[in-house]
Amino acid sequence: MTTHTGHTAAIPATKVIGTAVYNTSGEHIGTIEDVMLDKLSNGIMFAVIGFGGFLGIGEKFHAIPWSQLDYQEHRAGYVVPFTKDQLKAAPAYSINELAGADGEKARDASYKYYNVEPYWF
Amino acid sequence: MTTHTGHTAAIPATKVIGTAVYNTSGEHIGTIEDVMLDKLSNGIMFAVIGFGGFLGIGEKFHAIPWSQLDYQEHRAGYVVPFTKDQLKAAPAYSINELAGADGEKARDASYKYYNVEPYWF
């Protein structure tokens, strides 16, 4: 993430999971359901965001690059620099598609969609 | 991590947390209590290993570099390439020392102790 929060650099995964996520307009768009870790490197693959009924896509999740999550203390949540429309059109996956072998596919497609530089090169 | 498990590269943090950890002699030495994430980079800072009463140091935890955790299917747990004596003498920290500003100190000391190349350079 790009901001220093209280001058700390470390955050436990258990503290990240369950945190609310907002978009740039301040709309509450979901919750961090999990954090996907790369077994074969030291990289945080992506955050798994659940949007509930908001996008009307049932149990689908978005794979948001870790670097795009900006914690804002006054909101007690993360803000992602994406509009509602961008998120609506973003790739969405089931939990099975995100874990296991397909995690990489979701990662690659999502980084491309959000135009975020890959960490794995 | 260095091994491919079932040809998967992605693992959710919630699945890692609670997994047993063994040492090279096959001794059960603890449990993964949390995974510490780096807010300012894309790095997995370290795994937080609780050793319970094993080391007789109460509520202290070890910060084990992610790259040192090798999942072994037949054990349904991670194996770390450290002896009992190495682990007994390893740096140990309270949860407060591991989170927040002190996470980096624990990380630096632990990577040095375990002789693991830093990911943050």
Side-chain angles (χ1 to χ4, degrees):
Chain A
M1 280 166 274
T2 49
T3 52
H4 245 131
T5 309
H7 309 296
T8 64
I11 189 159
T14 53
K15 206 174 162 186
V16 173
I17 294 162
T19 303
V21 181
Y22 300 87
N23 70 7
T24 40
S25 310
E27 293 164 308
H28 177 250
I29 49 159
T31 302
I32 299 193
E33 305 285 348
D34 216 326
V35 182
M36 201 65 76
L37 307 173
D38 195 328
K39 282 187 196 176
L40 306 174
S41 82
N42 212 77
I44 302 166
M45 216 177 235
F46 50 78
V48 179
I49 315 283
F51 294 84
F54 174 75
L55 295 175
I57 46 169
E59 289 290 76
K60 293 280 187 173
F61 303 92
H62 290 190
I64 306 261
W66 182 245
S67 60
Q68 301 304 296
L69 296 170
D70 183 22
Y71 190 79
Q72 296 195 352
E73 202 119 21
H74 69 283
R75 283 217 175 88
Y78 292 103
V79 173
V80 292
F82 308 123
T83 65
K84 204 169 168 175
D85 284 346
Q86 270 180 300
L87 287 164
K88 267 188 180 163
Y93 303 91
S94 69
I95 243 339
N96 279 343
E97 286 169 331
L98 288 176
D102 289 333
E104 281 182 65
K105 283 186 210 166
R107 178 196 67 178
D108 294 0
S110 299
Y111 274 68
K112 196 173 173 188
Y113 179 82
Y114 297 117
N115 200 24
V116 173
E117 203 181 336
Y119 69 85
W120 58 91
F121 287 128
Chain B
M1 280 165 276
T2 49
T3 52
H4 245 129
T5 308
H7 309 296
T8 64
I11 188 159
T14 52
K15 206 174 162 187
V16 174
I17 293 162
T19 303
V21 181
Y22 300 87
N23 70 6
T24 41
S25 310
E27 292 165 308
H28 177 251
I29 49 159
T31 302
I32 299 192
E33 306 285 349
D34 217 325
V35 181
M36 201 65 76
L37 307 174
D38 195 328
K39 283 187 196 177
L40 305 174
S41 83
N42 212 76
I44 302 167
M45 216 177 235
F46 50 77
V48 178
I49 315 283
F51 293 84
F54 174 75
L55 295 175
I57 45 170
E59 288 290 76
K60 293 281 187 173
F61 302 93
H62 288 190
I64 307 262
W66 180 245
S67 61
Q68 300 305 295
L69 296 170
D70 183 22
Y71 190 78
Q72 296 195 351
E73 202 118 21
H74 70 283
R75 284 219 174 87
Y78 293 102
V79 173
V80 292
F82 308 123
T83 65
K84 204 169 169 177
D85 284 348
Q86 269 180 300
L87 288 164
K88 268 189 179 164
Y93 303 92
S94 70
I95 253 318
N96 279 342
E97 286 169 331
L98 289 176
D102 289 333
E104 282 183 62
K105 282 186 213 168
R107 178 196 66 177
D108 293 0
S110 298
Y111 274 67
K112 195 172 174 190
Y113 179 81
Y114 297 117
N115 200 24
V116 173
E117 204 181 337
Y119 70 85
W120 59 91
F121 287 127

